[in-house]
Amino acid sequence: MKKIIIGDHLIKSFGEGDERRNVLGGVTVEIEKGEFVAVMGPSGSGKSTLMFALSGTDHVNDGKVLFDGKDLSKLGENELADMRRTQMGFVFQQPTMLKHLNILDNIILPSMRGSRRNAAEITAKARALMQRVGIAELEKRDMTQVSGGQLQRAGICRALMNSPKIIFGDEPTGALNSKSAQEIMDLFSEINAEGTAILLVTHDATVAARTERIMFMRDGTIVSELKLPKYNGTDTDGRVGQVTAKMREIGI
Ligand SMILES: Nc1ncnc2c1ncn2[C@@H]1O[C@H](COP(=O)(O)OP(=O)(O)OP(=O)(O)O)[C@@H](O)[C@H]1O
């Protein structure tokens, strides 16, 4: 099984009666194990809805999602929650963290729930990840005492706690300045190089240009795709140029 995710003819609709409309109009997506992919498209084109569908965060109305060969619709709610917690990582534009807990405790909190590992093991893993992403000295601070980039690093540590097979990122650099955004993208590249698949939703051509495949959405369907070689730190401007040219071509 080479694919980590197959989304097969996904249909998702919202609204009732005359107001009802398809936000995903039969989308088929395949993501390879270890692949680094971006989804771009105008606001409201269905990017986040697609991500929620592929991650089992939200149910689809029709079509099916296979995660590592398992049909998500055949799993009970607990099994699905368990799969999301242990095999998928999530990074959002603004990491949601509890204000009254320090950064370290925020990182370990989700892993404590229903885990067979003991607290010392979990804490050691969190500290190792914090060290790795350069925020080891911030463990006692709370979320209001760190920068946006540092908070996002903490969010990435939290997403990596269970060594997921894929990370879903919804505009993970959207709230950051360009330097922090680049550093976060460097981190994603490193994580991907170690074999974790990554799916990012982004409006930013410089973010998308770091990935190896970009799917362009419009009105709930994938209208085009751009493939790039795996990023190795070279030809950054050329890659961004290819993404922006494609965006112009399809009118995004
Ligand atoms: N729970 C919901 N109920 C009703 N409509 C919804 C719901 N979630 C999303 N939508 C609608 O579905 C469409 C697609 O939303 P989605 O968030 O997937 O778009 P997007 O491409 O991620 O947009 P953006 O770039 O602005 O985040 C939008 O028109 C949105 O209003």
Side-chain angles (χ1 to χ4, degrees):
M1 182 80 206
K2 275 194 75 209
K3 316 271 182 218
I4 185 66
I5 293 182
I6 298 174
D8 189 16
H9 290 94
L10 303 177
I11 293 182
K12 177 74 184 175
S13 42
F14 291 112
E16 298 297 328
D18 289 350
E19 301 285 293
R20 191 164 181 85
R21 66 183 193 92
N22 283 351
V23 171
L24 296 181
V27 177
T28 294
V29 180
E30 298 192 341
I31 299 172
E32 305 287 331
K33 288 184 174 167
E35 199 180 13
F36 196 176
V37 188
V39 182
M40 299 191 85
S43 185
S45 56
K47 305 180 294 296
S48 300
T49 305
L50 176 62
M51 187 179 243
F52 291 146
L54 295 176
S55 58
T57 307
D58 205 359
H59 294 291
V60 286
N61 298 90
D62 204 359
K64 68 177 170 188
V65 178
L66 299 181
F67 182 83
D68 212 8
K70 289 208 179 71
D71 185 342
L72 295 188
S73 69
K74 300 260 185 337
L75 302 179
E77 282 304 321
N78 287 345
E79 243 182 317
L80 183 58
D82 214 42
M83 177 180 269
R84 293 179 67 248
R85 195 175 56 77
T86 58
Q87 301 192 43
M88 306 178 194
F90 295 87
V91 179
F92 299 102
Q93 185 166 342
Q94 303 275 8
T96 41
M97 297 218 171
L98 298 173
K99 282 203 181 99
H100 62 280
L101 291 183
N102 67 32
I103 296 284
L104 175 67
D105 288 340
N106 266 293
I107 291 171
I108 63 180
L109 185 68
S111 306
M112 291 289 191
R113 291 197 194 113
S115 172
R116 270 178 256 120
R117 290 181 296 173
N118 66 37
E121 225 179 298
I122 291 171
T123 306
K125 167 104 187 197
R127 288 203 164 112
L129 285 168
M130 291 178 83
Q131 177 85 37
R132 182 195 161 168
V133 308
I135 56 167
E137 73 286 9
L138 305 178
E139 65 170 72
K140 294 271 186 313
R141 304 231 190 132
D142 71 44
M143 59 172 287
T144 64
Q145 298 169 322
V146 297
S147 72
Q150 289 166 337
L151 189 63
Q152 195 54 291
R153 282 164 196 271
I156 291 172
C157 288
R158 187 173 55 184
L160 288 173
M161 279 298 288
N162 290 324
S163 307
K165 293 181 177 152
I166 185 164
I167 290 186
F168 294 97
D170 199 348
E171 297 280 3
T173 61
L176 305 178
N177 63 39
S178 62
K179 182 169 175 286
S180 296
Q182 272 202 15
E183 288 168 0
I184 292 296
M185 287 313 295
D186 288 343
L187 194 53
F188 277 127
S189 290
E190 276 178 44
I191 293 163
N192 176 248
E194 289 160 12
T196 310
I198 302 179
L199 174 70
L200 299 182
V201 165
T202 183
H203 285 278
D204 186 342
T206 64
V207 167
R210 294 290 203 98
T211 71
E212 60 191 299
R213 183 160 63 97
I214 302 145
M215 295 180 269
F216 296 91
M217 286 191 81
R218 178 194 290 288
D219 298 333
T221 58
I222 293 171
V223 291
S224 190
E225 222 180 60
L226 175 67
K227 286 196 175 164
L228 296 167
K230 266 225 195 265
Y231 183 64
N232 64 2
T234 62
D235 191 31
T236 311
D237 292 345
R239 297 170 71 101
V240 175
Q242 284 189 63
V243 177
T244 50
K246 192 76 175 177
M247 289 167 77
R248 267 198 307 275
E249 179 192 317
I250 55 184
I252 289 177

